[in-house]
Amino acid sequence: MPVESDEELASILSQETIAVVGCSATPGKDAHEIPKYMREHGYEVVPVNPYAEEVFGREAYDSLAEVEAEIDIVDVFRPSEEVSGIVDEVLERDDVDTVWLQLGIRDAEAGARVEESGRRFVQDHCLKVEHGRLVA
């Protein structure tokens, strides 16, 4: 079952490094503004977007496989149809604790695979909203 409890969401939000798949270089887009908010609140944000060279003055990676840094949370700003492939990349890594799907993004089957691997799965929740509600 996807994470729903405030206690577990707060636990996830106590981590430091967030890889944002679909992170946008375009101000005003949720995929830019939400990672920007998280950066402003002390999180290390790693942009993953094959169509951007950099976001927030940081190199944007083409895929999760290219990210050398340790990742705690993978935050997804891509359509639900793409989640399964992103989860495939997550399962190739040992460091990711949580896969977080933003509002409107759902994939129960991919979520079950995440949970079967011993990791946490959040879907259809906004990282910024939950941070503001539980942490800020």
Side-chain angles (χ1 to χ4, degrees), residues 108-133:
E109 183 179 308
R113 292 192 298 131
V114 170
E115 293 168 334
E116 285 168 12
S117 75
R119 304 163 206 241
R120 297 185 279 192
F121 179 70
V122 179
Q123 68 180 354
D124 198 22
H125 280 273
C126 177
L127 202 57
K128 178 181 175 181
V129 168
E130 297 303 337
H131 180 270
R133 190 173 70 82

Side-chain angles (χ1 to χ4, degrees), residues 37-87:
Y37 168 90
M38 299 309 286
R39 282 176 44 97
E40 291 168 351
H41 286 83
Y43 292 86
E44 182 72 23
V45 173
V46 179
V48 179
N49 182 337
Y51 303 106
E53 287 192 30
E54 69 173 41
V55 181
F56 311 122
R58 293 197 57 169
E59 175 186 0
Y61 295 91
D62 288 346
S63 67
L64 287 171
E66 291 186 8
V67 178
E68 293 178 10
E70 295 268 326
I71 299 170
D72 300 314
I73 302 167
V74 171
D75 183 31
V76 179
F77 277 96
R78 299 299 304 149
S80 297
E81 309 82 65
E82 295 182 26
V83 170
S84 183
I86 294 165
V87 165

Side-chain angles (χ1 to χ4, degrees), residues 5-15 73 97 120 134:
S5 77
D6 286 352
E7 181 179 319
E8 200 161 0
L9 290 169
S11 171
I12 291 167
L13 291 166
S14 72
Q15 298 180 86
I73 302 167
D97 173 74
R120 297 185 279 192
L134 298 169

